[in-house]
PDB file of all heavy atoms in Angstrom:
ATOM      1  N   ILE S 427       9.793 -23.712  -6.154  1.00  0.00           N
ATOM      2  CA  ILE S 427       9.407 -22.554  -5.334  1.00  0.00           C
ATOM      3  C   ILE S 427      10.598 -21.618  -5.162  1.00  0.00           C
ATOM      4  O   ILE S 427      10.462 -20.391  -5.238  1.00  0.00           O
ATOM      5  CB  ILE S 427       8.863 -23.019  -3.970  1.00  0.00           C
ATOM      6  CG1 ILE S 427       7.565 -23.813  -4.181  1.00  0.00           C
ATOM      7  CG2 ILE S 427       8.620 -21.834  -3.042  1.00  0.00           C
ATOM      8  CD1 ILE S 427       7.047 -24.466  -2.917  1.00  0.00           C
ATOM      9  N   GLU S 428      11.768 -22.200  -4.987  1.00  0.00           N
ATOM     10  CA  GLU S 428      12.990 -21.382  -4.868  1.00  0.00           C
ATOM     11  C   GLU S 428      13.237 -20.594  -6.152  1.00  0.00           C
ATOM     12  O   GLU S 428      13.656 -19.429  -6.105  1.00  0.00           O
ATOM     13  CB  GLU S 428      14.179 -22.297  -4.569  1.00  0.00           C
ATOM     14  CG  GLU S 428      15.484 -21.562  -4.322  1.00  0.00           C
ATOM     15  CD  GLU S 428      16.615 -22.519  -4.007  1.00  0.00           C
ATOM     16  OE1 GLU S 428      16.344 -23.599  -3.444  1.00  0.00           O
ATOM     17  OE2 GLU S 428      17.778 -22.194  -4.339  1.00  0.00           O
ATOM     18  N   ASP S 429      12.949 -21.196  -7.299  1.00  0.00           N
ATOM     19  CA  ASP S 429      13.104 -20.489  -8.572  1.00  0.00           C
ATOM     20  C   ASP S 429      12.225 -19.231  -8.611  1.00  0.00           C
ATOM     21  O   ASP S 429      12.612 -18.216  -9.207  1.00  0.00           O
ATOM     22  CB  ASP S 429      12.697 -21.388  -9.741  1.00  0.00           C
ATOM     23  CG  ASP S 429      13.705 -22.471 -10.043  1.00  0.00           C
ATOM     24  OD1 ASP S 429      14.847 -22.385  -9.555  1.00  0.00           O
ATOM     25  OD2 ASP S 429      13.329 -23.423 -10.765  1.00  0.00           O
ATOM     26  N   LEU S 430      11.042 -19.322  -8.009  1.00  0.00           N
ATOM     27  CA  LEU S 430      10.082 -18.218  -8.077  1.00  0.00           C
ATOM     28  C   LEU S 430      10.310 -17.177  -6.986  1.00  0.00           C
ATOM     29  O   LEU S 430       9.660 -16.128  -7.003  1.00  0.00           O
ATOM     30  CB  LEU S 430       8.652 -18.752  -7.999  1.00  0.00           C
ATOM     31  CG  LEU S 430       8.253 -19.743  -9.093  1.00  0.00           C
ATOM     32  CD1 LEU S 430       6.768 -20.063  -9.011  1.00  0.00           C
ATOM     33  CD2 LEU S 430       8.610 -19.231 -10.484  1.00  0.00           C
ATOM     34  N   TYR S 431      11.206 -17.447  -6.064  1.00  0.00           N
ATOM     35  CA  TYR S 431      11.592 -16.473  -5.030  1.00  0.00           C
ATOM     36  C   TYR S 431      13.109 -16.396  -4.979  1.00  0.00           C
ATOM     37  O   TYR S 431      13.741 -16.812  -4.026  1.00  0.00           O
ATOM     38  CB  TYR S 431      11.020 -16.872  -3.665  1.00  0.00           C
ATOM     39  CG  TYR S 431       9.528 -16.639  -3.555  1.00  0.00           C
ATOM     40  CD1 TYR S 431       8.629 -17.628  -3.922  1.00  0.00           C
ATOM     41  CD2 TYR S 431       9.037 -15.423  -3.113  1.00  0.00           C
ATOM     42  CE1 TYR S 431       7.254 -17.410  -3.839  1.00  0.00           C
ATOM     43  CE2 TYR S 431       7.667 -15.194  -3.026  1.00  0.00           C
ATOM     44  CZ  TYR S 431       6.787 -16.196  -3.396  1.00  0.00           C
ATOM     45  OH  TYR S 431       5.438 -15.968  -3.309  1.00  0.00           O
ATOM     46  N   PRO S 432      13.724 -15.856  -6.037  1.00  0.00           N
ATOM     47  CA  PRO S 432      15.185 -15.842  -6.106  1.00  0.00           C
ATOM     48  C   PRO S 432      15.793 -14.901  -5.078  1.00  0.00           C
ATOM     49  O   PRO S 432      15.124 -13.990  -4.582  1.00  0.00           O
ATOM     50  CB  PRO S 432      15.458 -15.350  -7.528  1.00  0.00           C
ATOM     51  CG  PRO S 432      14.249 -14.555  -7.893  1.00  0.00           C
ATOM     52  CD  PRO S 432      13.095 -15.221  -7.200  1.00  0.00           C
ATOM     53  N   PRO S 433      17.058 -15.098  -4.750  1.00  0.00           N
ATOM     54  CA  PRO S 433      17.734 -14.190  -3.819  1.00  0.00           C
ATOM     55  C   PRO S 433      17.820 -12.776  -4.384  1.00  0.00           C
ATOM     56  O   PRO S 433      17.792 -12.575  -5.600  1.00  0.00           O
ATOM     57  CB  PRO S 433      19.140 -14.803  -3.674  1.00  0.00           C
ATOM     58  CG  PRO S 433      19.011 -16.205  -4.166  1.00  0.00           C
ATOM     59  CD  PRO S 433      17.931 -16.193  -5.192  1.00  0.00           C
ATOM     60  N   TYR S 434      17.911 -11.812  -3.496  1.00  0.00           N
ATOM     61  CA  TYR S 434      18.052 -10.417  -3.925  1.00  0.00           C
ATOM     62  C   TYR S 434      19.368 -10.247  -4.682  1.00  0.00           C
ATOM     63  O   TYR S 434      20.424 -10.721  -4.237  1.00  0.00           O
ATOM     64  CB  TYR S 434      18.023  -9.486  -2.714  1.00  0.00           C
ATOM     65  CG  TYR S 434      18.058  -8.016  -3.096  1.00  0.00           C
ATOM     66  CD1 TYR S 434      16.883  -7.330  -3.359  1.00  0.00           C
ATOM     67  CD2 TYR S 434      19.260  -7.332  -3.213  1.00  0.00           C
ATOM     68  CE1 TYR S 434      16.903  -5.994  -3.739  1.00  0.00           C
ATOM     69  CE2 TYR S 434      19.296  -5.994  -3.582  1.00  0.00           C
ATOM     70  CZ  TYR S 434      18.111  -5.333  -3.842  1.00  0.00           C
ATOM     71  OH  TYR S 434      18.140  -4.008  -4.208  1.00  0.00           O
ATOM     72  N   PRO S 435      19.373  -9.554  -5.831  1.00  0.00           N
ATOM     73  CA  PRO S 435      20.582  -9.406  -6.651  1.00  0.00           C
ATOM     74  C   PRO S 435      21.498  -8.272  -6.170  1.00  0.00           C
ATOM     75  O   PRO S 435      21.585  -7.210  -6.795  1.00  0.00           O
ATOM     76  CB  PRO S 435      20.018  -9.110  -8.042  1.00  0.00           C
ATOM     77  CG  PRO S 435      18.746  -8.368  -7.770  1.00  0.00           C
ATOM     78  CD  PRO S 435      18.182  -8.964  -6.505  1.00  0.00           C
ATOM     79  N   TYR S 436      22.170  -8.490  -5.051  1.00  0.00           N
ATOM     80  CA  TYR S 436      23.007  -7.429  -4.466  1.00  0.00           C
ATOM     81  C   TYR S 436      24.095  -6.945  -5.420  1.00  0.00           C
ATOM     82  O   TYR S 436      24.504  -5.780  -5.361  1.00  0.00           O
ATOM     83  CB  TYR S 436      23.664  -7.943  -3.174  1.00  0.00           C
ATOM     84  CG  TYR S 436      22.700  -8.140  -2.034  1.00  0.00           C
ATOM     85  CD1 TYR S 436      22.229  -9.411  -1.716  1.00  0.00           C
ATOM     86  CD2 TYR S 436      22.253  -7.068  -1.266  1.00  0.00           C
ATOM     87  CE1 TYR S 436      21.340  -9.613  -0.661  1.00  0.00           C
ATOM     88  CE2 TYR S 436      21.371  -7.253  -0.209  1.00  0.00           C
ATOM     89  CZ  TYR S 436      20.916  -8.525   0.082  1.00  0.00           C
ATOM     90  OH  TYR S 436      20.033  -8.714   1.116  1.00  0.00           O
ATOM     91  N   ASP S 437      24.563  -7.835  -6.298  1.00  0.00           N
ATOM     92  CA  ASP S 437      25.638  -7.437  -7.201  1.00  0.00           C
ATOM     93  C   ASP S 437      25.158  -6.489  -8.289  1.00  0.00           C
ATOM     94  O   ASP S 437      25.949  -5.777  -8.905  1.00  0.00           O
ATOM     95  CB  ASP S 437      26.272  -8.676  -7.842  1.00  0.00           C
ATOM     96  CG  ASP S 437      25.248  -9.527  -8.592  1.00  0.00           C
ATOM     97  OD1 ASP S 437      24.047  -9.443  -8.256  1.00  0.00           O
ATOM     98  OD2 ASP S 437      25.651 -10.282  -9.498  1.00  0.00           O
ATOM     99  N   LYS S 438      23.845  -6.450  -8.505  1.00  0.00           N
ATOM    100  CA  LYS S 438      23.288  -5.653  -9.597  1.00  0.00           C
ATOM    101  C   LYS S 438      22.496  -4.441  -9.104  1.00  0.00           C
ATOM    102  O   LYS S 438      22.550  -3.367  -9.703  1.00  0.00           O
ATOM    103  CB  LYS S 438      22.387  -6.548 -10.451  1.00  0.00           C
ATOM    104  CG  LYS S 438      21.828  -5.881 -11.696  1.00  0.00           C
ATOM    105  CD  LYS S 438      21.007  -6.857 -12.532  1.00  0.00           C
ATOM    106  CE  LYS S 438      19.764  -7.321 -11.783  1.00  0.00           C
ATOM    107  NZ  LYS S 438      18.832  -8.084 -12.645  1.00  0.00           N
ATOM    108  N   HIS S 439      21.760  -4.603  -8.024  1.00  0.00           N
ATOM    109  CA  HIS S 439      20.914  -3.544  -7.485  1.00  0.00           C
ATOM    110  C   HIS S 439      21.386  -3.177  -6.084  1.00  0.00           C
ATOM    111  O   HIS S 439      21.244  -3.963  -5.148  1.00  0.00           O
ATOM    112  CB  HIS S 439      19.449  -3.995  -7.451  1.00  0.00           C
ATOM    113  CG  HIS S 439      18.858  -4.209  -8.801  1.00  0.00           C
ATOM    114  ND1 HIS S 439      17.709  -4.938  -9.016  1.00  0.00           N
ATOM    115  CD2 HIS S 439      19.255  -3.780 -10.031  1.00  0.00           C
ATOM    116  CE1 HIS S 439      17.424  -4.959 -10.304  1.00  0.00           C
ATOM    117  NE2 HIS S 439      18.352  -4.264 -10.938  1.00  0.00           N
ATOM    118  N   LYS S 440      21.912  -1.994  -5.951  1.00  0.00           N
ATOM    119  CA  LYS S 440      22.510  -1.571  -4.695  1.00  0.00           C
ATOM    120  C   LYS S 440      21.471  -1.483  -3.576  1.00  0.00           C
ATOM    121  O   LYS S 440      20.372  -0.978  -3.787  1.00  0.00           O
ATOM    122  CB  LYS S 440      23.164  -0.195  -4.856  1.00  0.00           C
ATOM    123  CG  LYS S 440      24.329  -0.168  -5.827  1.00  0.00           C
ATOM    124  CD  LYS S 440      24.868   1.250  -5.969  1.00  0.00           C
ATOM    125  CE  LYS S 440      26.010   1.310  -6.975  1.00  0.00           C
ATOM    126  NZ  LYS S 440      26.490   2.693  -7.160  1.00  0.00           N
ATOM    127  N   PRO S 441      21.826  -1.948  -2.385  1.00  0.00           N
ATOM    128  CA  PRO S 441      20.937  -1.712  -1.243  1.00  0.00           C
ATOM    129  C   PRO S 441      20.969  -0.237  -0.857  1.00  0.00           C
ATOM    130  O   PRO S 441      21.806   0.535  -1.348  1.00  0.00           O
ATOM    131  CB  PRO S 441      21.529  -2.601  -0.150  1.00  0.00           C
ATOM    132  CG  PRO S 441      22.965  -2.770  -0.523  1.00  0.00           C
ATOM    133  CD  PRO S 441      23.018  -2.719  -2.022  1.00  0.00           C
ATOM    134  N   ILE S 442      20.057   0.151   0.024  1.00  0.00           N
ATOM    135  CA  ILE S 442      19.997   1.552   0.440  1.00  0.00           C
ATOM    136  C   ILE S 442      21.293   1.961   1.114  1.00  0.00           C
ATOM    137  O   ILE S 442      21.911   2.973   0.772  1.00  0.00           O
ATOM    138  CB  ILE S 442      18.812   1.776   1.410  1.00  0.00           C
ATOM    139  CG1 ILE S 442      17.496   1.506   0.705  1.00  0.00           C
ATOM    140  CG2 ILE S 442      18.844   3.195   1.967  1.00  0.00           C
ATOM    141  CD1 ILE S 442      16.294   1.483   1.638  1.00  0.00           C
ATOM    142  N   VAL S 443      21.697   1.178   2.099  1.00  0.00           N
ATOM    143  CA  VAL S 443      22.890   1.487   2.886  1.00  0.00           C
ATOM    144  C   VAL S 443      24.042   0.666   2.325  1.00  0.00           C
ATOM    145  O   VAL S 443      24.091  -0.547   2.496  1.00  0.00           O
ATOM    146  CB  VAL S 443      22.665   1.165   4.376  1.00  0.00           C
ATOM    147  CG1 VAL S 443      23.943   1.385   5.172  1.00  0.00           C
ATOM    148  CG2 VAL S 443      21.531   2.011   4.932  1.00  0.00           C
ATOM    149  N   SER S 444      24.944   1.330   1.645  1.00  0.00           N
ATOM    150  CA  SER S 444      26.084   0.625   1.058  1.00  0.00           C
ATOM    151  C   SER S 444      27.399   1.042   1.696  1.00  0.00           C
ATOM    152  O   SER S 444      28.453   0.573   1.309  1.00  0.00           O
ATOM    153  CB  SER S 444      26.138   0.876  -0.460  1.00  0.00           C
ATOM    154  OG  SER S 444      26.214   2.257  -0.735  1.00  0.00           O
ATOM    155  N   GLU S 445      27.316   1.923   2.661  1.00  0.00           N
ATOM    156  CA  GLU S 445      28.502   2.328   3.415  1.00  0.00           C
ATOM    157  C   GLU S 445      28.259   2.004   4.875  1.00  0.00           C
ATOM    158  O   GLU S 445      27.133   2.013   5.355  1.00  0.00           O
ATOM    159  CB  GLU S 445      28.776   3.820   3.239  1.00  0.00           C
ATOM    160  CG  GLU S 445      29.027   4.206   1.781  1.00  0.00           C
ATOM    161  CD  GLU S 445      29.158   5.710   1.582  1.00  0.00           C
ATOM    162  OE1 GLU S 445      29.379   6.427   2.563  1.00  0.00           O
ATOM    163  OE2 GLU S 445      29.033   6.156   0.432  1.00  0.00           O
ATOM    164  N   GLY S 446      29.319   1.708   5.608  1.00  0.00           N
ATOM    165  CA  GLY S 446      29.160   1.395   7.018  1.00  0.00           C
ATOM    166  C   GLY S 446      29.010  -0.092   7.252  1.00  0.00           C
ATOM    167  O   GLY S 446      29.070  -0.908   6.346  1.00  0.00           O
ATOM    168  N   GLY S 447      28.829  -0.455   8.520  1.00  0.00           N
ATOM    169  CA  GLY S 447      28.706  -1.852   8.893  1.00  0.00           C
ATOM    170  C   GLY S 447      28.630  -1.997  10.395  1.00  0.00           C
ATOM    171  O   GLY S 447      28.369  -1.034  11.114  1.00  0.00           O
ATOM    172  N   ILE S 448      28.879  -3.195  10.876  1.00  0.00           N
ATOM    173  CA  ILE S 448      28.868  -3.451  12.312  1.00  0.00           C
ATOM    174  C   ILE S 448      30.258  -3.174  12.866  1.00  0.00           C
ATOM    175  O   ILE S 448      31.250  -3.747  12.429  1.00  0.00           O
ATOM    176  CB  ILE S 448      28.446  -4.893  12.618  1.00  0.00           C
ATOM    177  CG1 ILE S 448      27.047  -5.145  12.069  1.00  0.00           C
ATOM    178  CG2 ILE S 448      28.495  -5.181  14.105  1.00  0.00           C
ATOM    179  CD1 ILE S 448      25.985  -4.262  12.665  1.00  0.00           C
ATOM    180  N   SER S 449      30.336  -2.276  13.826  1.00  0.00           N
ATOM    181  CA  SER S 449      31.614  -1.885  14.400  1.00  0.00           C
ATOM    182  C   SER S 449      32.214  -3.033  15.207  1.00  0.00           C
ATOM    183  O   SER S 449      31.539  -3.643  16.040  1.00  0.00           O
ATOM    184  CB  SER S 449      31.426  -0.671  15.315  1.00  0.00           C
ATOM    185  OG  SER S 449      32.583  -0.442  16.082  1.00  0.00           O
ATOM    186  N   SER S 450      33.477  -3.319  14.958  1.00  0.00           N
ATOM    187  CA  SER S 450      34.155  -4.370  15.724  1.00  0.00           C
ATOM    188  C   SER S 450      34.411  -3.930  17.163  1.00  0.00           C
ATOM    189  O   SER S 450      34.672  -4.749  18.032  1.00  0.00           O
ATOM    190  CB  SER S 450      35.485  -4.729  15.048  1.00  0.00           C
ATOM    191  OG  SER S 450      36.318  -3.573  14.955  1.00  0.00           O
ATOM    192  N   LEU S 451      34.324  -2.607  17.418  1.00  0.00           N
ATOM    193  CA  LEU S 451      34.553  -2.101  18.771  1.00  0.00           C
ATOM    194  C   LEU S 451      33.291  -2.143  19.619  1.00  0.00           C
ATOM    195  O   LEU S 451      33.294  -2.650  20.736  1.00  0.00           O
ATOM    196  CB  LEU S 451      35.090  -0.660  18.701  1.00  0.00           C
ATOM    197  CG  LEU S 451      36.446  -0.483  18.006  1.00  0.00           C
ATOM    198  CD1 LEU S 451      36.801   1.002  17.942  1.00  0.00           C
ATOM    199  CD2 LEU S 451      37.536  -1.244  18.756  1.00  0.00           C
ATOM    200  N   SER S 452      32.203  -1.608  19.069  1.00  0.00           N
ATOM    201  CA  SER S 452      30.970  -1.517  19.855  1.00  0.00           C
ATOM    202  C   SER S 452      30.008  -2.666  19.609  1.00  0.00           C
ATOM    203  O   SER S 452      29.123  -2.935  20.418  1.00  0.00           O
ATOM    204  CB  SER S 452      30.241  -0.204  19.544  1.00  0.00           C
ATOM    205  OG  SER S 452      29.756  -0.218  18.205  1.00  0.00           O
ATOM    206  N   GLY S 453      30.158  -3.336  18.470  1.00  0.00           N
ATOM    207  CA  GLY S 453      29.207  -4.377  18.118  1.00  0.00           C
ATOM    208  C   GLY S 453      27.907  -3.827  17.591  1.00  0.00           C
ATOM    209  O   GLY S 453      26.982  -4.576  17.314  1.00  0.00           O
ATOM    210  N   LYS S 454      27.815  -2.486  17.437  1.00  0.00           N
ATOM    211  CA  LYS S 454      26.597  -1.856  16.954  1.00  0.00           C
ATOM    212  C   LYS S 454      26.795  -1.361  15.522  1.00  0.00           C
ATOM    213  O   LYS S 454      27.916  -1.213  15.049  1.00  0.00           O
ATOM    214  CB  LYS S 454      26.204  -0.692  17.857  1.00  0.00           C
ATOM    215  CG  LYS S 454      25.830  -1.118  19.268  1.00  0.00           C
ATOM    216  CD  LYS S 454      25.387   0.073  20.095  1.00  0.00           C
ATOM    217  CE  LYS S 454      24.972  -0.359  21.498  1.00  0.00           C
ATOM    218  NZ  LYS S 454      24.521   0.791  22.310  1.00  0.00           N
TER     219      LYS S 454
END
Side-chain angles (χ1 to χ4, degrees):
I427 295 172
E428 184 179 330
D429 286 345
L430 301 187
Y431 287 89
Y434 184 88
Y436 290 101
D437 57 336
K438 185 177 65 170
H439 294 162
K440 296 177 182 177
I442 296 171
V443 176
S444 57
E445 300 174 17
I448 300 299
S449 168
S450 59
L451 297 177
S452 68
K454 295 183 178 181

